[in-house]
Amino acid sequence: MKQNITLSIDKSLIKKSKIIAAQRETSVSKMLSDELEKLIQSAEQYEFAKRKALANLKTGFHFGGKITVSREALHER
């Protein structure tokens, strides 16, 4: 579902955006919509990666190998 919104944008920016839109054979509205979609997608990917990284840090990593000596034995004096 699409919905119209009202934006306040500097006139010179609107003029330049209309030129770019015409060169790309699209509309200013479509360009804004595409850029907002990219911005939101990027933010969602960042949040997903952040949650995954924090979960990995919380659970830790096992790199293989076996513990052959106790902690106490290593710290004996």
Side-chain angles (χ1 to χ4, degrees):
M1 180 178 90
K2 292 188 178 191
Q3 181 176 341
N4 291 334
I5 62 170
T6 302
L7 299 172
S8 295
I9 302 174
D10 187 58
K11 284 185 179 187
S12 66
L13 185 60
I14 292 171
K15 187 176 181 180
K16 290 175 185 178
S17 65
K18 285 181 179 181
I19 293 169
I20 293 171
Q23 291 170 342
R24 295 182 182 182
E25 298 179 352
T26 189
S27 66
V28 173
S29 179
K30 177 70 173 145
M31 287 191 331
L32 287 171
S33 177
D34 290 346
E35 287 302 315
L36 282 173
E37 196 171 321
K38 287 178 191 176
L39 180 68
I40 291 166
Q41 193 173 48
S42 176
E44 287 173 345
Q45 288 173 346
Y46 174 82
E47 285 301 317
F48 174 77
K50 179 181 169 184
R51 284 193 304 274
K52 186 175 177 184
L54 290 173
N56 284 339
L57 286 173
K58 197 174 276 189
T59 59
F61 297 97
H62 180 64
F63 295 110
K66 295 179 182 177
I67 298 173
T68 58
V69 64
S70 70
R71 184 173 190 275
E72 291 77 23
L74 288 172
H75 295 283
E76 270 183 4
R77 295 186 187 204

